[in-house]
Amino acid sequence: MKPSRGFAALTVAAAAAAMITTPADATTGAVSDDSVRYAWLSSCAKKDYKVPCGNWMLTMRSGKTVKLADARVHPKQARGKVDKETNALFAVSGDGRSVNYIKGDKLVIRDVNSGKVRPLPGGTADLPKGLGQDSVDTTLSPDGSIAVVDYFDAAEKLPSLVANLKTGKVTKLPSKNSVLSFSPDGQHLLTGRFTDDNITEFAVFDAEGHETSSQVVPQIVSNNAPIALADDGTTVTLVITGGSGKPRLRTYDLSSDTVSDAVPLGTPKDESAQRLYWDAAGTLTLWTSRGDEEGTVISAVKRTVNAGTGTTHRLDSFKVRTDPWTWWLPGE
């Protein structure tokens, strides 16, 4: 089971069990050069259905599996009751070197190499009064230096907060805008909102929280995912999957409100697009998942994509852990 983030649910994970370790506390731990391949949470049977259980786990690129004993598994609702049938928030930075979760009642970020854990800055570690932990979500910038905290209050009046973990500065985003994508350098943030006319508007904000561009977008852009924002802050690339089930790639220019012609996406028929992003070198990268006959995800594949032709080149692939409750890729 995978919870939704904003407009789309994107992600994948896998298994390859090795030594399980518990990372050091907030101030100690040997520094290494490892990164998260995927994060996951187990599921357990309860009568005729399943619930999340165990601890949040990190499978590292080194092959090591790390248990996060301090990461909250079940969210606490507004009145204090713990909901044991769903999972609390979790996020992984795009570079896989930072993870964000709830420790006790506070939002924290962990450096996965040093083991250092610290609260989000500027008061963003604490939830607003009257809001449960099941009504908040976070997104990290590619290098983990910026955290966006989204609140899902019934009145939609609480603004999203953009917390800079390096400077401690916190800026606000409009309450009705949901995070869709960071640019690779973390300097631009693509958001979307539904207008009163039931149409979708995209808006891009810079690192200071200023809106740099906005556009009411065509349905072919708003109704498809995954989606990725480039470093220029205006180029948006997305995967289109129509009735034929054959994925295609399109590019949308926010400044000119134009959509490119679709090109076939060079992925096998048994794979589904999970996550799309540009990296700092200007390379478009796609994560896909493969499912079995019952629709259960069994493996994940990482590919580079030629944005002009749709051709792909495989970089990585791995099997998915059997029957997890949820799993997150770096950048999710």
Side-chain angles (χ1 to χ4, degrees):
M1 185 172 185
K2 185 77 174 75
S4 174
R5 286 178 183 253
F7 283 69
L10 318 172
T11 193
V12 177
M19 180 178 67
I20 295 180
T21 62
T22 300
D25 64 18
T27 58
T28 63
V31 177
S32 60
D33 186 21
D34 207 352
S35 60
V36 178
R37 205 177 196 189
Y38 55 90
W40 51 274
L41 188 62
S42 294
S43 64
C44 294
K46 183 178 180 180
K47 296 181 180 180
D48 58 347
Y49 62 99
K50 294 183 178 181
V51 296
C53 59
N55 294 101
W56 282 102
M57 308 292 286
L58 305 176
T59 294
M60 311 299 288
R61 295 205 64 82
S62 64
K64 181 173 63 175
T65 301
V66 177
K67 178 174 69 175
L68 299 182
D70 63 336
R72 181 178 282 277
V73 173
H74 305 291
K76 185 187 296 184
Q77 297 175 335
R79 295 185 178 181
K81 182 180 179 181
V82 176
D83 185 353
K84 294 187 177 181
E85 296 192 355
T86 189
N87 64 276
L89 68 84
F90 199 92
V92 185
S93 63
D95 62 7
R97 299 181 185 278
S98 301
V99 292
N100 170 224
Y101 52 85
I102 299 174
K103 179 180 180 180
D105 293 324
K106 291 186 178 291
L107 292 169
V108 301
I109 191 158
R110 176 188 286 269
D111 183 307
V112 299
N113 283 303
S114 70
K116 182 178 180 180
V117 178
R118 56 194 173 108
L120 297 190
T124 55
D126 299 302
L127 271 63
K129 291 183 179 180
L131 196 70
Q133 295 171 349
D134 53 355
S135 297
V136 62
D137 200 8
T138 56
T139 306
L140 295 179
S141 63
D143 67 353
S145 66
I146 299 173
V148 180
V149 184
D150 270 326
Y151 302 115
F152 307 124
D153 53 311
E156 294 188 330
K157 291 184 177 180
L158 290 174
S160 297
L161 302 180
V162 183
N164 189 310
L165 280 68
K166 291 182 177 179
T167 66
K169 183 177 180 180
V170 177
T171 57
K172 297 179 180 180
L173 295 179
S175 60
K176 294 186 178 181
N177 288 55
S178 298
V179 177
L180 299 178
S181 175
F182 266 103
S183 63
D185 60 9
Q187 296 303 301
H188 297 91
L189 184 63
L190 177 66
T191 70
R193 74 177 183 93
F194 294 113
T195 71
D196 292 338
D197 297 322
N198 200 31
I199 55 179
T200 302
E201 179 185 70
F202 280 4
V204 176
F205 295 85
D206 63 19
E208 299 300 315
H210 302 130
E211 185 178 301
T212 59
S213 62
S214 65
Q215 194 72 252
V216 172
V217 300
Q219 287 188 348
I220 197 169
V221 175
S222 63
N223 292 350
N224 286 281
I227 191 167
L229 178 68
D231 267 342
D232 61 9
T234 61
T235 301
V236 176
T237 306
L238 63 154
V239 176
I240 309 292
T241 304
S244 66
K246 297 179 179 178
R248 295 166 294 157
L249 198 70
R250 287 184 183 266
T251 298
Y252 174 68
D253 190 314
L254 268 169
S255 59
S256 62
D257 189 28
T258 56
V259 184
S260 72
D261 292 335
V263 294
L265 187 59
T267 54
K269 293 180 180 179
D270 61 347
E271 292 184 17
S272 299
Q274 294 293 116
R275 185 183 174 229
L276 187 70
Y277 65 94
W278 292 93
D279 66 17
T283 302
L284 189 63
T285 303
L286 173 71
W287 277 99
T288 63
S289 63
R290 287 176 175 166
D292 59 18
E293 293 180 356
E294 286 73 38
T296 302
V297 176
I298 58 175
S299 64
V301 183
K302 181 181 182 181
R303 290 185 171 85
T304 58
V305 183
N306 184 311
T309 65
T311 57
T312 66
H313 174 70
R314 190 171 70 175
L315 298 176
D316 190 17
S317 63
F318 48 81
K319 292 183 179 179
V320 174
R321 179 176 175 80
T322 303
D323 200 23
W325 170 263
T326 189
W327 20 256
W328 298 109
L329 285 171
E332 298 181 329

